[in-house]
Amino acid sequence: MNEEVIKETAKPDLGQIGYRLKSERKKKGWSIADVSASLRINEKILNAIEEGRSEEGIAPVFMRGFIHSYLRYLKLWDDSFDTTLQNVPELKQKAIKPVFQKINGPE
């Protein structure tokens, strides 16, 4: 059941994952508020996940963690999702540019 969500296409995307989470949540009769209270994840973040978008200003590593928690809560998690979540383009960590430049000492 879990793998059908992700492996329908070669590249998994956040939209597929979000759709599956929303469908499963509704099937159980739970509201976003119910899930938010249980997981202690802001409703705005859960809505973003279900809509297939990464919430602005939240590091990809945290978004992957929120999705992981949500999948476990709905009993959809299996270990194959670890690799899958790391391959979702919207959840990949962007390269960090150095803040400081190396300065040559006095000559």
Side-chain angles (χ1 to χ4, degrees):
M1 177 189 278
N2 305 357
E3 294 180 16
E4 70 190 39
V5 177
I6 305 305
K7 296 183 180 172
E8 289 174 2
T9 62
K11 282 190 176 182
D13 72 13
L14 199 49
Q16 290 176 321
I17 295 168
Y19 177 80
R20 181 68 176 137
L21 289 168
K22 186 174 188 174
S23 297
E24 192 66 26
R25 174 183 60 79
K26 285 185 170 189
K27 191 179 347 175
K28 293 178 185 281
W30 297 339
S31 69
I32 284 282
D34 295 334
V35 176
S36 176
S38 294
L39 293 177
R40 296 185 177 165
I41 297 174
N42 189 299
E43 288 181 40
K44 184 177 172 183
I45 294 170
L46 294 174
N47 278 317
I49 291 168
E50 287 188 355
E51 292 168 7
R53 54 186 177 80
S54 184
E55 187 60 27
E56 190 70 30
I58 297 179
V61 67
F62 291 113
M63 286 301 289
R64 285 193 305 269
F66 294 143
I67 293 168
H68 178 199
S69 295
Y70 200 177
L71 286 163
R72 288 183 64 102
Y73 182 70
L74 294 174
K75 305 218 184 318
L76 297 174
W77 179 260
D78 72 39
D79 290 336
S80 70
F81 278 115
D82 270 336
T83 304
T84 301
L85 288 177
Q86 297 208 9
N87 290 325
V88 174
E90 300 94 337
L91 300 176
K92 284 194 176 196
Q93 186 70 41
K94 296 181 177 49
I96 300 172
K97 295 180 183 174
V99 177
F100 301 103
Q101 289 183 333
K102 184 175 179 182
I103 300 175
N104 293 333
E107 291 182 25

